[in-house]
Amino acid sequence: MFKAVIPARHASMRLPGKPLLDIAGKPMVVRVAEQAMKSGADEVLVATDHADIEAACKLHGLQVLMTRGDWPTGTDRIAEVVQFKGWGDDTVVVNVQGDEPLIDPALIDLVANTLLNGQQDIATCGHAINNWEEFKNPNVVKIAMREDGEALYFSRAPIPFPRDAYANQDWPQGAPEGQLGIRHIGLYAYRARFLKKYQTLPAAQIEVFESLEQLRALANGFRIKVCMIQDAPLPGVDTAHDLEKVRALFGSRLG
């Protein structure tokens, strides 16, 4: 059994009020919660800092908790929920991003069960990168892995760096078939004890350099298991263009 928490922040640089944007007649955050409730989670909760999001969730019968408005990350917001709810240290909590209305419930189950069946502190997902453009793109976060499937490092740079093949963009010798690198998918399952500790840790230098909060965990000795998936998940919503694509996908499903 595990919990699913959806952090929903009203402020957004690209799309202000993003959790409340309409998707096929319902606010985006409601669509996300509906997907999460199709997973094996025994509790689904929205954590927000805004009264309008709270009201929209209550209108649709969702469990919602008002949190502080000054948290720098969704992880901090979820940690507040853990403390408020009094969840035990071994409770597994999945962070379901509030801008992923098409998230596959099976993917939520996969990351939760990876942690439930392992000894790590965190679990997340990745899939193979099979083209150079994606591998070199700094907006695509890459993972370097240990042989046992735990994360060594996350970076916006192309890692592991194929020294001899990079200049000519040849296929690196020894690379797995169809895999230049591993793309990180930003879905996390945490043990509650990690979340309680996370808020006491200062930002790590590598976290600040890369602008990747998961590096704080690695820098402090926490273990992250990576479960590999075959294909990239359906798109989330970061921009107005993304929103129109997701609306069209919902329209085709409902039509």
Side-chain angles (χ1 to χ4, degrees):
M1 303 292 279
F2 64 93
K3 316 293 184 183
V5 179
I6 303 163
R9 187 170 65 99
H10 191 270
S12 171
M13 295 296 291
R14 293 179 176 177
L15 288 173
K18 182 162 63 170
L20 296 174
L21 295 173
D22 180 85
I23 297 180
K26 294 182 182 179
M28 185 188 307
V29 68
V30 174
R31 291 296 187 187
V32 175
E34 288 176 340
Q35 292 299 98
M37 287 188 290
K38 296 174 186 174
S39 75
D42 65 330
E43 189 171 357
V44 175
L45 184 150
V46 175
T48 187
D49 60 355
H50 200 278
D52 289 349
I53 298 174
E54 179 189 36
C57 290
K58 288 182 174 179
L59 181 64
H60 288 85
L62 301 176
Q63 184 182 180
V64 58
L65 180 67
M66 286 291 288
T67 60
R68 281 172 41 180
D70 59 347
W71 289 126
T73 70
T75 309
D76 289 295
R77 198 175 305 283
I78 293 173
E80 181 182 350
V81 171
V82 168
Q83 297 282 8
F84 180 84
K85 298 286 285 186
W87 290 334
D89 285 354
D90 289 328
T91 303
V92 168
V93 184
V94 179
N95 176 353
V96 181
Q97 299 288 343
D99 57 4
E100 300 278 352
L102 293 167
I103 189 165
D104 185 350
L107 187 57
I108 297 173
D109 288 339
L110 175 64
V111 73
N113 289 324
T114 296
L115 195 54
L116 284 165
N117 296 325
Q119 300 298 317
Q120 293 81 11
D121 308 287
I122 305 168
T124 191
C125 298
H127 70 85
I129 297 172
N130 57 17
N131 66 81
W132 280 98
E133 290 72 23
E134 189 174 20
F135 189 52
K136 294 164 68 175
N137 185 347
N139 294 316
V140 174
V141 178
K142 275 74 68 174
I143 314 172
M145 302 257 288
R146 288 179 13 169
E147 293 298 318
D148 62 3
E150 289 191 15
L152 272 172
Y153 192 68
F154 296 81
S155 183
R156 299 182 183 279
I159 59 169
F161 186 80
R163 185 195 65 178
D164 297 328
Y166 190 82
N168 297 321
Q169 296 190 15
D170 298 324
W171 199 261
Q173 286 190 351
E177 184 177 355
Q179 181 177 301
L180 280 169
I182 299 169
R183 179 176 187 158
H184 179 227
I185 304 302
L187 177 68
Y188 296 95
Y190 305 103
R191 296 195 192 278
R193 63 172 172 263
F194 164 77
L195 291 166
K196 294 172 185 177
K197 181 68 174 176
Y198 176 82
Q199 290 186 304
T200 72
L201 301 173
Q205 186 179 60
I206 55 173
E207 170 192 359
V208 176
F209 277 18
E210 295 262 17
S211 190
L212 295 173
E213 65 179 272
Q214 63 269 40
L215 291 175
R216 188 183 312 182
L218 289 181
N220 285 278
F222 292 97
R223 297 162 62 193
I224 303 177
K225 178 71 173 182
V226 181
C227 47
M228 294 295 291
I229 59 176
Q230 192 69 31
D231 300 304
L234 290 169
V237 178
D238 285 324
T239 66
H241 179 64
D242 295 337
L243 179 63
E244 292 311 312
K245 287 196 296 184
V246 168
R247 281 173 170 167
L249 284 168
F250 261 92
S252 64
R253 286 181 170 191
L254 299 175

